[in-house]
Amino acid sequence: GSLSWEANTYSASQIVNENKVLDEEGDSASTTQLIVSTPGGVACLVPATQTVVALAADEGEEMWRVALNGAAKYDALVAAPDQPDELWAVGTDANGKPALVAVNAATGTAGSVHVASSAALKPYVVSGGGLHALSADGTKLVSLNAKTGSTKTRALPSGGAHELVKDGAAGTSGLVAVRQADGTVSVLDASFKAAELKVLFSTANGAHAAVSSEVCSDGKGAPCAVAVYEASENSATVKVAADGGKVVATLQVGESFALATAGAPLSCHLAAHLRKDGGVTYRAVVVSEGGEVAMVHESGVVWQRDESLAPAK
């Protein structure tokens, strides 16, 4: 829910509400992620002052505060995918290069600022041990290692990509989804250890797709997965790639979710559940433009509804 208190360090024209900074009229000034849960509270990035403040969950008391290095302008705060006690402030330097600084979630101690060796396009996504972005010409993936500060630039498959899919990044090793100009979505294993990007799967030619990522924690920070809800003229599926570079499940949504009957995919929400035997099972809720909603499991469609009279979001 919304935060019920306000830190006394914010200006009178700003309040923090969920993951948005609102101006005094209540209009959204930013929809970038600004708030991250921490042990005992939340940490908030205040773009106007380039400060990260940690506030206690009970009363909103300030636990720590850190002013970020002026080498870049930071506009997002995220939890590090592979370090549960670390936050990353993400931004861009004056030359258009992605920048990242790690902040200890317990103490507020900030590390060194790491800046990529070349300019890149937004959106930036975090996955594995760092930050990923498209090169200025859209033909390469620029990956900034959060620990070493080194940059790895690798060629994208099929001649490049139109954009990174913001909801298609997950994993401690590094899963990233890219969308090409023709709408094709590819899920890549972008592990920092790999010299080249590995394509785990791509949507079929002419198919429409919606993408979702999910982190299912077993106390060890794993597993993580990216799902792609893909619909062609006569069929629909949800493909799931898991951390470690494997396609682990293909969920059959059925002919009633094909483009011809249900319209293009609108959204996909993946849930990963740990079984008692230590394995993982996947379920997904999918929504089509035509208002069809379904829960699908590895064994098939669990339930299905037509919400066309009351559009589902």
Side-chain angles (χ1 to χ4, degrees):
S2 301
L3 301 178
S4 59
W5 32 255
E6 178 179 349
N8 58 14
T9 54
Y10 291 110
S11 65
S13 63
Q14 289 183 320
I15 62 171
V16 172
N17 179 19
E18 297 178 349
N19 271 349
K20 298 181 180 180
V21 170
L22 307 179
D23 62 22
E24 57 191 351
E25 284 79 31
D27 297 324
S28 176
S30 171
T31 56
T32 303
Q33 182 170 345
L34 301 172
I35 298 176
V36 177
S37 296
T38 62
V42 294
C44 313
L45 170 65
V46 187
T49 60
Q50 293 289 279
T51 304
V52 178
V53 184
L55 306 172
D58 294 336
E59 300 294 337
E61 301 100 332
E62 181 179 317
M63 297 189 292
W64 54 256
R65 147 194 319 272
V66 60
L68 299 175
N69 187 293
K73 183 176 181 180
Y74 302 95
D75 56 15
L77 185 69
V78 299
D82 59 345
Q83 297 289 333
D85 59 347
E86 193 169 273
L87 310 174
W88 292 348
V90 176
T92 309
D93 78 350
N95 298 311
K97 299 177 181 179
L100 180 152
V101 59
V103 178
N104 185 292
T107 65
T109 305
S112 301
V113 179
H114 296 314
V115 180
S117 60
S118 59
L121 304 173
K122 287 191 173 183
Y124 306 151
V125 300
V126 295
S127 180
L131 175 153
H132 307 274
L134 290 184
S135 61
D137 62 3
T139 64
K140 300 177 181 67
L141 186 71
V142 178
S143 301
L144 176 62
N145 192 307
K147 292 184 176 63
T148 66
S150 61
T151 302
K152 189 180 283 280
T153 302
R154 294 166 286 185
L156 287 163
S158 304
H162 174 63
E163 65 176 352
L164 284 182
V165 182
K166 198 167 185 180
D167 292 330
T172 55
S173 64
L175 299 174
V176 176
V178 297
R179 193 186 305 273
Q180 294 168 312
D182 64 359
T184 301
V185 172
S186 298
V187 176
L188 312 175
D189 182 355
S191 167
F192 280 90
K193 296 179 181 179
E196 298 180 354
L197 300 173
K198 176 184 176 183
V199 180
L200 302 181
F201 64 81
S202 297
T203 56
N205 290 336
H208 296 249
V211 184
S212 171
S213 60
E214 170 72 4
V215 177
C216 174
S217 177
D218 59 359
K220 301 177 182 179
C224 305
V226 171
V228 177
Y229 159 29
E230 172 187 4
S232 60
E233 199 65 24
N234 299 308
S235 65
T237 59
V238 176
K239 292 180 181 177
V240 183
D243 206 18
K246 296 180 180 180
V247 179
V248 293
T250 299
L251 316 181
Q252 300 295 334
V253 186
E255 294 182 5
S256 59
F257 270 74
L259 289 176
T261 53
L266 183 62
S267 63
C268 172
H269 306 277
L270 177 67
H273 300 278
L274 291 164
R275 301 194 302 260
K276 291 182 179 179
D277 62 6
V280 184
T281 185
Y282 297 93
R283 287 184 287 183
V285 175
V286 295
V287 183
S288 76
E289 279 189 340
E292 294 286 337
V293 186
M295 166 78 80
V296 292
H297 187 262
E298 291 170 73
S299 60
V301 177
V302 179
W303 52 257
Q304 182 175 336
R305 292 174 58 90
D306 183 354
E307 294 288 340
S308 57
L309 297 179
K313 297 291 185 183

